[in-house]
Amino acid sequence: MKTMSLVVPCYNEEPTIEIFYNTVEKVLADNPESFKDITTEYVFVNDGSSDDTLNVLRTLNAAHPDTVHYVSFSRNFGKEAGLLAGLEHTIGDYVAVMDVDLQDPPTLLPKMLAMLQTGDYDCIGTMRENRVGEPMIRSFLSRSFYSVVNKISKVQIIPNARDYRLMTRQMVDAILELPEYNRFSKGIFNWVGFRTTYLKFENQPRSAGETHWSIWQLFNYSMDAIVDFSDVPLKIATFTGGLFSLISIISIFVVIIRKILFDNSVSGWASTITIMLLIGGIQLFCLGIIGNYIGKIYIESKHRPHYIVQEKK
């Protein structure tokens, strides 16, 4: 008998947890042949929720103590910490990462498990066929992010891929060997390698509640991903600095030659100030890029835990 673990991060998801649990249980009951030799465990991670999420998880655990477990943080540590904690607390031979709002359809689990059990793959991922129902600006920014990151990073990230995937224990153990504090799971899943294929599905609405991701948060998350998996921004800063240094040297020679040959100094106070401001802005831009990487190094050097557990069952 093998075990399938479902890792489910939760942040202020009080209205969705029971809906999620009942939906997954229905999928398991409706597909007895697919899960006949499989036991299922749920590992919910309460990421410092301010609503009644923890009490809902306590109630669910009390009703199903053998299959439903939870890990509750002392505060909100973020999505990546929740995913890591869930993976670290699983015991399954197969491990799935899922969103509790049912935007990751549990109906795919039987097919994902069947494909994984063939031994041809180590991971069955999922990706959305479209972004129907999503705001246009969010879709545009998402497409732009995937386009940029895949051009500047050696680790390719599949556009529209979800964190929702079913993995073998071997792959999960490989992911847990990566100790970095700054984590971007979509990149990490691909960085460790292993044989992966993807299933497509139609975009699903939330079962209840509202998304907790603002556009600004998604933008910052995207910037973290670029810094974590590419050093191209540093190369851009180096190239920009070198280019403008070369232009400055050429300009100096032009001014000197003009003075010697024509006894005519360069006029234009306004243009000089404009150029100075441009160069100063470029320098600050490059310093900002370098500072971002240094900041990441600083955080890593502290060796702080990714999360602090206040309660678990």
Side-chain angles (χ1 to χ4, degrees):
M1 184 72 72
K2 293 188 175 182
T3 300
M4 180 177 67
S5 301
L6 305 182
V7 175
V8 191
C10 304
Y11 176 65
N12 290 343
E13 295 287 0
E14 175 189 347
T16 63
I17 295 172
E18 289 190 4
I19 298 174
F20 170 84
Y21 177 79
N22 292 332
T23 302
V24 174
E25 286 295 299
K26 186 177 186 305
V27 170
L28 298 179
D30 290 345
N31 298 272
E33 286 300 314
S34 298
F35 301 99
K36 64 179 180 181
D37 296 321
I38 300 292
T39 59
T40 304
E41 71 157 356
Y42 297 80
V43 180
F44 292 94
V45 181
N46 175 36
D47 187 17
S49 300
S50 56
D51 63 359
D52 214 30
T53 292
L54 180 55
N55 285 330
V56 174
L57 293 178
R58 286 170 176 159
T59 302
L60 201 58
N61 166 257
H64 311 280
D66 295 329
T67 58
V68 176
H69 309 284
Y70 66 86
V71 178
S72 184
F73 292 168
S74 60
R75 65 169 177 84
N76 177 247
F77 283 89
K79 170 191 173 184
E80 293 297 337
L83 286 176
L84 178 62
L87 294 177
E88 288 181 336
H89 285 82
T90 58
I91 62 171
D93 303 282
Y94 308 112
V95 180
V97 175
M98 305 180 69
D99 279 353
V100 72
D101 56 18
L102 293 182
Q103 288 190 298
D104 297 334
T107 50
L108 290 178
L109 282 173
K111 186 175 182 179
M112 295 166 75
L113 181 61
M115 294 175 68
L116 208 59
Q117 288 176 324
T118 63
D120 295 331
Y121 302 103
D122 302 290
C123 174
I124 310 299
T126 63
M127 58 189 300
R128 292 182 290 187
E129 284 190 305
N130 55 58
R131 290 178 171 268
V132 175
E134 187 175 76
M136 291 183 62
I137 182 64
R138 190 184 291 261
S139 298
F140 169 76
L141 291 175
S142 177
R143 290 194 301 270
S144 300
F145 162 71
Y146 285 116
S147 176
V148 170
V149 76
N150 283 329
K151 287 179 180 177
I152 66 177
S153 173
K154 293 181 180 179
V155 177
Q156 294 300 292
I157 300 175
I158 307 299
N160 295 326
R162 300 279 294 176
D163 288 330
Y164 180 27
R165 60 194 63 220
L166 185 64
M167 300 170 283
T168 61
R169 169 51 56 182
Q170 183 185 17
M171 182 171 175
V172 172
D173 289 341
I175 292 170
L176 295 179
E177 288 180 7
L178 303 182
E180 63 254 41
Y181 186 86
N182 300 288
R183 304 178 70 86
F184 179 68
S185 289
K186 285 187 176 69
I188 290 175
F189 291 145
N190 290 341
W191 187 92
V192 297
F194 294 95
R195 298 164 298 174
T196 301
T197 190
Y198 290 87
L199 298 178
K200 294 182 178 180
F201 66 91
E202 294 286 337
N203 192 39
Q204 303 292 313
R206 286 180 60 92
S207 61
E210 297 180 354
T211 180
H212 304 295
W213 286 87
S214 66
I215 291 179
W216 179 246
Q217 288 173 316
L218 289 172
F219 175 78
N220 285 332
Y221 190 51
S222 300
M223 293 300 101
D224 288 342
I226 291 173
V227 172
D228 287 349
F229 284 91
S230 176
D231 62 353
V232 169
L234 287 174
K235 294 177 181 177
I236 292 175
T238 301
F239 173 79
T240 304
L243 175 64
F244 277 86
S245 295
L246 178 61
I247 293 174
S248 298
I249 293 172
I250 294 173
S251 299
I252 290 172
F253 277 109
V254 169
V255 171
I256 293 174
I257 293 172
R258 186 171 179 177
K259 177 64 177 177
I260 293 174
L261 296 181
F262 305 103
D263 193 27
N264 181 19
S265 60
V266 178
S267 60
W269 170 258
S271 60
T272 301
I273 293 300
T274 301
I275 293 172
M276 290 177 63
L277 290 174
L278 173 64
I279 299 299
I282 291 172
Q283 288 176 332
L284 290 174
F285 171 73
C286 294
L287 283 174
I289 293 176
I290 297 170
N292 204 351
Y293 280 88
I294 293 175
K296 295 286 187 181
I297 296 171
Y298 173 64
I299 295 298
E300 292 284 352
S301 68
K302 291 184 175 183
H303 300 296
R304 288 178 175 172
H306 295 85
Y307 55 88
I308 296 174
V309 176
Q310 185 173 21
E311 180 182 338
K312 66 179 179 179
K313 283 289 184 68

